[in-house]
Amino acid sequence: MSEQTAPQGIDALPGDLMMWVLIVSELLVFGAGLAAFMAVRVTDPVGFAEAQGHLNATAAGINTVVLVTSGWFAALALRCSETGQIGRARGLLGAAMVLGLVFLVVKWLEYVAKSELGITFETHDFFLFYYMLTGFHAMHVIAGIVILALVAWKISPRNTEVGAAFWHMVDLVWVLLFPIIYLL
Amino acid sequence: MPVTQAWLSLIALSLGSTLLALFGASGIWAALAMLALAWIKAQLILRVYLNLQSAPGWGRGFALVLAIYMSVIMGLAVLAG
């Protein structure tokens, strides 16, 4: 009789190895961007605080709730996919995508409000980082919605796990970006 | 931890940091509190949403890297005053 042992090393990682490589790469890029923001902020704390006063922390707070809730739907979709509840899994992935779209609409309204105030990349270093980091993150939200749509179409436990992992990475980046850019 | 419990915790922590900012909390201690809340949220997403709780070794590795990173960010927040 053979004894089953728990996976070790790389095999112990939940999900697809290449998705973890992508997640770590993305975290390094955003991590470096946010650390650079914090380092430049040290040189001009008053200017950064003044610039930050033009941001809408409430809208960003709402977007945080929206994104962590969509992550919850994606995590539940994986459980359903693993237990063969395909219709329910598709519905939950659809709900996660809808909340992703809500996030983008709030983000778009935020950009429109900045534009109406004449705030651009060149207004202050703060806004250079603001547009670069939040814009790059928004592109990942768009990519995540496309990936979740593909997963819902070609649904399987493995595909759902990979798609949900990408979506959670987008979520993870936002929970770090939110206080650093909007609240400090 | 089940995903629904993690989600409720994430909502509570997000509301906590937003309310801190909206009620005018400022200065070094407020910044450190908001970053600490973000740290806990990031850890929850890694452990529960990304299921690193099923791979304790990897979970500890990611937690260590996150701890070093957040310490650097907190240090920079203190330097900015």
Side-chain angles (χ1 to χ4, degrees):
Chain A
M1 204 158 82
S2 65
E3 238 178 68
Q4 209 164 5
T5 55
Q8 299 292 318
I10 293 285
D11 293 334
L13 263 178
D16 189 278
L17 174 63
M18 290 319 290
M19 181 50 70
W20 278 102
V21 171
L22 177 68
I23 287 172
V24 170
S25 319
E26 298 285 357
L27 291 177
L28 287 172
V29 171
F30 278 104
L34 290 171
F37 171 88
M38 289 299 288
V40 176
R41 181 174 174 266
V42 171
T43 65
D44 181 17
V46 176
F48 269 59
E50 200 177 298
Q52 192 189 54
H54 293 288
L55 300 189
N56 188 339
T58 307
I62 290 168
N63 255 352
T64 305
V65 171
V66 165
L67 214 52
V68 297
T69 303
S70 76
W72 177 51
F73 286 148
L76 291 176
L78 174 59
R79 303 293 183 274
C80 290
S81 180
E82 285 170 342
T83 53
Q85 301 174 72
I86 300 305
R88 191 167 157 75
R90 283 200 169 110
L92 286 162
L93 287 171
M97 283 186 273
V98 168
L99 288 183
L101 290 171
V102 170
F103 178 93
L104 290 172
V105 169
V106 172
K107 182 62 55 195
W108 175 253
L109 293 174
E110 196 183 314
Y111 286 158
V112 169
K114 299 292 153 296
S115 171
E116 284 171 357
L117 291 172
I119 294 171
T120 69
F121 280 91
E122 294 171 351
T123 305
H124 188 274
D125 282 348
F126 175 91
F127 289 107
L128 178 65
F129 280 104
Y130 163 76
Y131 280 118
M132 271 180 20
L133 290 167
T134 61
F136 193 43
H137 178 266
M139 281 187 237
H140 282 74
V141 174
I142 294 168
I145 291 170
V146 172
I147 289 170
L148 291 181
L150 288 172
V151 167
W153 179 36
K154 296 282 184 189
I155 197 157
S156 70
R158 185 178 179 277
N159 287 349
T160 312
E161 188 169 38
V162 171
F166 183 88
W167 196 243
H168 297 323
M169 180 273 292
V170 172
D171 211 354
L172 175 56
V173 168
W174 180 258
V175 300
L176 294 174
L177 189 153
F178 166 57
I180 292 176
I181 301 284
Y182 289 86
L183 301 183
L184 292 190
Chain B
M1 178 189 276
V3 288
T4 300
Q5 196 179 327
W7 169 67
L8 289 170
S9 304
L10 286 166
I11 296 290
L13 293 164
S14 302
L15 292 177
S17 51
T18 305
L19 289 176
L20 264 178
L22 291 181
F23 283 106
S26 59
I28 291 174
W29 290 109
L32 292 178
M34 288 169 198
L35 288 171
L37 291 174
W39 185 349
I40 299 168
K41 283 193 280 182
Q43 188 59 26
L44 273 173
I45 290 171
L46 283 167
R47 280 185 54 77
V48 185
Y49 278 11
L50 281 163
N51 200 25
L52 284 177
Q53 61 189 354
S54 72
W58 284 101
R60 281 192 294 275
F62 273 85
L64 175 65
V65 173
L66 181 65
I68 294 168
Y69 180 74
M70 292 308 293
S71 301
V72 170
I73 295 293
M74 286 175 157
L76 289 168
V78 171
L79 278 178

